[in-house]
Amino acid sequence: MKNLIKFIKVAIFVLALLLIGNILKNDFNSDDFKKLILKADYLYLINTIVIVFISIILKGHRLQIISKQFEIFPSFFEAVKIQIISITFAMITPGRAGEFTKIFLLAKEDKKKLPLTTVICVFERLIDVIILSLAGTILCMFTLNDIKILSLLLLLAICIIMSLFLLFNLGFFMKKFEKYIPNKIKTYVDEFEIHKSKIYSKTPLIVLYSTFIWVIDAFFQWSILKSVGSSNSIWPIFGINGITAIMGILTILPMGLGTVDISALYLYDKILNVPHEKIVFLLASYRFFGIGTLILMLLPIMVLQKGFVESIYNKTIKKNIK
């Protein structure tokens, strides 16, 4: 199964590269791109650094809210630190796999808590995927007339609805299919069932909080485009960001290389008529300022807790690379 998934990701990546090459070969002017870099309003680009700081702080507070419902009580500073480390690791790993380092960070080396912290991370990711999928679906419904894309998005919407139905009826399905479910999965589901009444009561707040976080992330892209003279509404960017973020999971390279690029090139061109030179500038700046800001935030942690960060890296990222 793992080999099949890897093969599919490699195939998607190769296809994305071929499409990117074809697009840039036919409609990309390197001289115009150089002019964009020289004429960019760097005040808007500096603004992206502030946006990343705000986003990380909000994500830290959200993690704190979710964790408390599962009787894990990180301080605000600890929650922010966990998000800085896990998101930085996510940026340097394929499919953002490194983000699940927060499972170990929340557990604080207590193996008994790992099922609980796994459920916390899965729930957090599930909320994000639902919001991003809905944003992308709504955007495409009102802006694209391509029946193939709309059909895929309809299928995605059905999958989201089914996922929500499953989430709210886990106990029922567990009893029906108990003999087919591995014990490890049962442990995770049991932990969720114990705490589900608390998490359900906070779900509307978490959804609103998460939506605001992703709107902030859309402002990050808006600021980059604004720096090179593109004046676009934030809402289509919010929808495009939803699709490109999900596409970032389907790549074999870090930072969503390949799949994010082709989806951004297609959607910004098709929906907002942004020139390819500006889209390439957006993608390069998004990665440069995003990773750069995260590294700046990670440096004090590396200096003060170098052994701790190395330990987490060896247990998660390094182990998976081998």
Side-chain angles (χ1 to χ4, degrees), residues 34 100 176:
K34 290 174 185 176
F100 281 91
K176 287 286 183 181

Side-chain angles (χ1 to χ4, degrees), residues 58-90:
L58 291 173
K59 286 180 179 179
H61 188 224
R62 179 183 65 172
L63 181 63
Q64 189 183 29
I65 293 170
I66 296 172
S67 299
K68 283 181 179 179
Q69 313 316 309
F70 291 93
E71 297 179 9
I72 302 286
F73 301 99
S75 67
F76 174 71
F77 174 76
E78 284 176 327
V80 171
K81 181 180 74 173
I82 288 169
Q83 291 289 30
I84 293 169
I85 295 171
S86 63
I87 294 173
T88 303
F89 283 176

Side-chain angles (χ1 to χ4, degrees), residues 131-160:
I131 290 168
L132 293 171
S133 300
L134 287 174
T137 302
I138 293 168
L139 169 79
C140 292
M141 282 177 65
F142 288 99
T143 57
L144 295 179
N145 295 316
D146 191 326
I147 189 64
K148 292 179 181 178
I149 293 176
L150 290 175
S151 298
L152 287 171
L153 288 169
L154 179 61
L155 179 62
L156 180 61
I158 292 170
C159 290
I160 292 169

Side-chain angles (χ1 to χ4, degrees), residues 36-316:
L36 280 179
I37 296 172
L38 294 173
K39 292 181 178 180
D41 186 339
Y42 284 88
L43 185 62
Y44 280 104
L45 294 177
I46 292 170
N47 184 46
T48 62
I49 297 173
V50 178
I51 292 171
V52 174
F53 270 99
I54 294 170
S55 178
I56 293 294
I57 289 168
L58 291 173
K59 286 180 179 179
H61 188 224
R62 179 183 65 172
L63 181 63
Q64 189 183 29
I65 293 170
I66 296 172
S67 299
K68 283 181 179 179
Q69 313 316 309
F70 291 93
E71 297 179 9
I72 302 286
F73 301 99
S75 67
F76 174 71
F77 174 76
E78 284 176 327
V80 171
K81 181 180 74 173
I82 288 169
Q83 291 289 30
I84 293 169
I85 295 171
S86 63
I87 294 173
T88 303
F89 283 176
M91 295 289 281
I92 61 172
T93 52
R96 297 185 62 86
E99 193 159 356
F100 281 91
T101 51
K102 71 179 65 171
I103 291 170
F104 299 91
L105 293 166
L106 281 169
K108 295 182 178 179
E109 299 192 8
D110 185 348
K111 292 183 178 180
K112 292 180 180 178
K113 291 182 179 179
L114 287 177
L116 199 57
T117 55
T118 300
V119 171
I120 291 170
C121 294
V122 169
F123 182 81
E124 183 188 41
R125 290 282 64 78
L126 179 62
I127 293 293
D128 280 340
V129 168
I130 289 169
I131 290 168
L132 293 171
S133 300
L134 287 174
T137 302
I138 293 168
L139 169 79
C140 292
M141 282 177 65
F142 288 99
T143 57
L144 295 179
N145 295 316
D146 191 326
I147 189 64
K148 292 179 181 178
I149 293 176
L150 290 175
S151 298
L152 287 171
L153 288 169
L154 179 61
L155 179 62
L156 180 61
I158 292 170
C159 290
I160 292 169
I161 293 168
M162 289 177 66
S163 298
L164 287 170
F165 180 76
L166 178 63
L167 181 65
F168 283 88
N169 294 276
L170 273 176
F172 172 78
F173 284 102
M174 280 293 294
K175 290 176 182 177
K176 287 286 183 181
F177 303 101
E178 187 173 3
K179 61 181 179 180
Y180 303 108
I181 299 172
N183 288 330
K184 193 171 185 179
I185 300 297
K186 288 179 185 176
T187 304
Y188 297 150
V189 174
D190 287 343
E191 291 290 358
F192 182 80
E193 285 290 305
I194 291 168
H195 301 89
K196 71 177 183 180
S197 60
K198 289 183 180 179
I199 196 65
Y200 287 166
S201 66
K202 291 289 184 179
T203 296
L205 172 64
I206 294 166
V207 169
L208 285 172
Y209 213 103
S210 300
T211 302
F212 183 65
I213 287 169
W214 286 107
V215 170
I216 291 288
D217 196 64
F219 266 108
F220 184 98
Q221 297 188 32
W222 178 89
S223 293
I224 295 172
L225 287 172
K226 187 69 175 176
S227 74
V228 289
S230 286
S231 298
N232 305 110
S233 169
I234 188 67
W235 301 115
I237 294 176
F238 177 53
I240 291 170
N241 186 39
I243 296 171
T244 56
I246 292 172
M247 290 297 289
I249 301 170
L250 305 174
T251 183
I252 58 170
L253 292 179
M255 296 180 288
L257 288 168
T259 52
V260 168
D261 302 75
I262 188 60
S263 56
L265 281 165
Y266 175 78
L267 292 168
Y268 274 108
D269 178 20
K270 191 87 171 176
I271 295 171
L272 296 178
N273 297 313
V274 177
H276 288 150
E277 294 81 10
K278 290 185 178 182
I279 302 171
V280 172
F281 182 84
L282 165 66
L283 290 165
S285 300
Y286 185 87
R287 286 163 178 147
F288 178 80
F289 287 99
I291 294 174
T293 307
L294 281 167
I295 290 172
L296 284 174
M297 297 178 80
L298 184 64
L299 279 175
I301 300 171
M302 286 290 293
V303 172
L304 298 173
Q305 295 180 291
K306 183 181 177 182
F308 171 71
V309 176
E310 284 182 347
S311 173
I312 293 297
Y313 173 81
N314 291 330
K315 287 178 182 178
T316 55

